[in-house]
Amino acid sequence: MTDRTENQSTAVSFAVRRHAEPLGVPERTKLLTDPGFGRVFTDHMAVVRYTEGKGWHSAEITARKPLLLDPASAVLHYAQEIFEGLKAYRLGDGSLAMFRPDANARRFQQSAKRLAMPELPSEIFISSIRELVNIDRDWFPTVDGGSLYIRPFMFANEVFLGVKPASEYLYLVILSPVGGYFKGGAPAVSIWVSQHYTRAAPGGTGAAKCGGNYASSLVAQAEATKHGCDQVVFLDAVEHRWLEELGGMNVFLVFNDGTLQTPPLSGTILPGITRDSLITLARSEGLTVREEPYAIDQWRADANSGRLTEAFACGTAAVVTPIGRVASPDGEFKIGAGGPGQITSRLKQKLVDIQHGKAPDPHKWVYRIG
Ligand SMILES: *Cc1c(COP(=O)(O)O)cnc(C)c1O
């Protein structure tokens, strides 16, 4: 019997093999003026291997290059894959910092557990990012509001078609300089209520950050686009009635009595770190935040009566995005004035200020990279 978390050295040190031909400065500078989202990548990547019985090994920072995968690699068939998403921000003094990477490390372990994968020690998760960001720090985008998007991920690469948890895994980190997620800042988005498709069912993988959840959400997102909406929102799988989340963002509602509400972490919702941070910030301001189920019919009624004044989606990539319009086959409704509301804007600003070192950080969320 092998215990996957036992006997593993957490003090993995990274061998650094610098890229022999990094991108030239003029080319890099050009890319960094308008990087968009997830299209531009830095020169290096972090790699750590896992082998059953041996644990985590062969950690290195190396040139970012295509991977060689055997066509029978388990991930290509049974989708044992998880990922994370966080950002490095530039602080006022020019240094770079990560936001709550310990929370991402913990969530990566939870996701691994659900997908029957080995849990990566937090120290390795955080040091892999620290080392990689340090070596590629010249890739920090020059565009206003830019950041380095950090994408850690892990997948099964055992060459075997049998259905079982794989015995070999690859953990990698890549970096993508990004501007704003939505072009032109964060205008209010329109969302489509998916009535046929669900994202996650009780007992399923909804609380894990795995690629499979995204694969199954794409057809619903395509339906939203077809109906002229920016994003899809999913309802619960049992009653098709309770608001859950967007394909990649959690949802909040703001009421005219100044209270907030967000669906509870019932196991079918991804526990967002932005969600958690906003709850903490709102409560520390004295605002009431309820983590309670909210029905789609109630949403329509509250929006029409004026009881609901604001709604927003949140996640690392886009931070906070106001929701201005909700559409479904039953018709549509607008929220508030259709733009960013006061409480939405204030909470967003508060979070962004902490992330960029412009406001005190009482919760010790900011990790300086150097
Ligand atoms: C990543 C993700 C979120 C947001 O999580 P953050 O930690 O705030 O970035 C929300 N929903 C889903 C489905 C996600 O994958």
Side-chain angles (χ1 to χ4, degrees):
M1 201 192 84
T2 45
D3 180 338
R4 288 162 166 257
T5 53
E6 208 175 63
N7 295 327
Q8 287 165 15
S9 162
T10 55
V12 160
S13 73
F14 285 79
V16 178
R17 289 179 239 290
R18 281 191 173 264
H19 201 306
E21 293 173 47
L23 196 69
V25 175
E27 291 93 334
R28 186 180 70 209
T29 305
K30 190 161 168 239
L31 286 174
L32 294 180
T33 54
D34 182 22
F37 185 88
R39 292 189 184 282
V40 175
F41 299 96
T42 68
D43 290 321
H44 297 89
M45 63 184 183
V47 186
V48 186
R49 293 175 180 275
Y50 179 91
T51 307
E52 202 170 88
K54 188 171 173 188
W56 300 96
H57 62 93
S58 310
E60 59 175 354
I61 306 289
T62 186
R64 196 185 74 87
K65 56 182 179 294
L67 303 171
L68 267 181
L69 286 187
D70 190 283
S73 288
V75 66
L76 301 177
H77 304 274
Y78 310 124
Q80 237 191 326
E81 189 269 355
I82 57 171
F83 67 95
E84 269 302 324
L86 65 164
K87 282 175 173 173
Y89 301 94
R90 196 184 280 293
L91 306 182
D93 62 6
S95 60
L96 301 185
M98 306 179 255
F99 185 72
R100 305 187 68 182
D102 53 324
N104 292 92
R106 264 195 310 276
R107 189 170 66 188
F108 199 57
Q109 293 174 339
Q110 294 306 314
S111 299
K113 220 185 265 181
R114 180 61 185 83
L115 279 273
M117 298 165 90
E119 290 172 52
L120 182 75
S122 293
E123 295 85 344
I124 300 180
F125 183 92
I126 293 175
S127 62
S128 65
I129 296 171
R130 205 179 270 285
E131 301 259 343
L132 183 61
V133 171
N134 253 321
I135 200 167
D136 277 339
R137 56 187 304 123
D138 290 341
W139 279 90
F140 199 92
T142 44
V143 62
D144 202 32
S147 55
L148 264 183
Y149 184 78
I150 303 162
R151 169 54 58 88
F153 60 107
M154 170 164 55
F155 61 88
N157 74 335
E158 182 181 358
V159 179
F160 182 50
L161 291 184
V163 181
K164 66 155 185 89
S167 62
E168 284 173 51
Y169 297 87
L170 219 48
Y171 164 75
L172 295 103
V173 188
I174 53 173
L175 301 177
S176 179
V178 298
Y181 187 76
F182 292 105
K183 270 193 181 152
V189 295
S190 54
I191 61 175
W192 174 255
V193 182
S194 181
Q195 295 198 324
H196 312 294
Y197 301 113
T198 51
R199 195 191 79 92
T205 57
K209 209 166 175 75
C210 59
N213 288 344
Y214 279 72
S216 69
S217 76
L218 297 178
V219 67
Q221 177 59 39
E223 190 182 90
T225 306
K226 200 178 83 190
H227 286 91
C229 292
D230 299 307
Q231 295 278 325
V232 62
V233 66
F234 291 99
L235 303 178
D236 75 290
V238 179
E239 295 181 68
H240 286 247
R241 179 173 171 220
W242 305 101
L243 186 58
E244 296 236 300
E245 63 172 317
L246 273 56
M249 286 188 272
N250 296 114
V251 189
F252 280 78
L253 307 140
V254 184
F255 297 93
N256 60 2
D257 61 358
T259 63
L260 289 92
Q261 186 161 338
T262 189
L265 300 178
S266 55
T268 55
I269 288 176
L270 200 285
I273 294 160
T274 316
R275 173 189 182 279
D276 183 74
S277 306
L278 290 169
I279 291 175
T280 303
L281 290 178
R283 286 183 180 156
S284 70
E285 265 195 31
L287 296 173
T288 298
V289 185
R290 291 179 299 276
E291 294 179 74
E292 289 170 14
Y294 190 66
I296 182 69
D297 295 334
Q298 190 71 44
W299 199 1
R300 179 189 305 277
D302 288 344
N304 289 337
S305 74
R307 180 174 170 250
L308 181 82
T309 49
E310 306 174 27
F312 64 85
C314 67
T316 296
V319 195
V320 168
T321 305
I323 297 170
R325 185 168 66 90
V326 181
S328 77
D330 305 332
E332 61 174 71
F333 55 92
K334 278 199 158 45
I335 296 165
Q342 269 181 19
I343 294 184
T344 302
S345 301
R346 200 171 74 226
L347 285 174
K348 176 182 182 176
Q349 196 58 47
K350 201 154 190 179
L351 179 61
V352 168
D353 283 350
I354 295 175
Q355 288 170 335
H356 291 84
K358 291 181 186 160
D361 176 25
H363 309 287
K364 305 254 185 301
W365 283 340
V366 175
Y367 277 52
R368 278 175 184 266
I369 295 175

